């Protein structure tokens, strides 16, 4: 069953939680200093990636590209539930 959408004043928390989860994936797959490499694979400036990890809104095209590049599980990115990756060839 899907969870209800958060109240409008809680979107800040949602963005912060998503930022934390994309940071976890980046650190697991690319290391502590792998942000520039991930940004390059995603075809975007590293500075933009830093903004996403800081809680700026991630455009749909970029989050979809992140899922494609990393194999991250969309459900886990959304709410932290379930498996972190779509298959076992990525992190845990």
């Amino acid at each position: 069953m899907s969870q209800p959408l958060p109240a409008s004043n809680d979107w800040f928390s949602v963005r912060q939680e998503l930022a934390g989860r994309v940071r976890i994936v980046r650190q697991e797959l690319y290391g502590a200093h792998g942000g520039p490499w991930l940004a390059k694979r995603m075809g975007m400036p590293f500075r933009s990636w830093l903004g996403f990890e800081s809680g700026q809104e991630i455009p749909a095209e970029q989050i979809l590209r992140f899922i494609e590049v990393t194999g991250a599980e969309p459900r886990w990115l959304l709410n932290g539930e379930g498996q972190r990756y779509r298959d076992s060839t990525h992190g845990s």
Side-chain angles (χ1 to χ4, degrees), residues 8-9 12 35-36 38 40 50 68:
S8 60
N9 62 350
F12 176 79
L38 174 58
K40 183 176 181 177
L50 283 177
E68 178 181 54

Side-chain angles (χ1 to χ4, degrees), residues 1 4-5 8 19-20 26 28 34 36 39 41 47-48 50-51 53 60 65 73 81 83:
M1 177 159 59
L5 290 174
S8 60
R26 190 260 308 151
E28 285 184 351
R41 288 207 55 214
R47 190 174 196 92
S48 296
L50 283 177
E53 284 196 15
R65 179 75 177 134
E73 175 60 50
E81 296 176 1
Q83 293 183 315

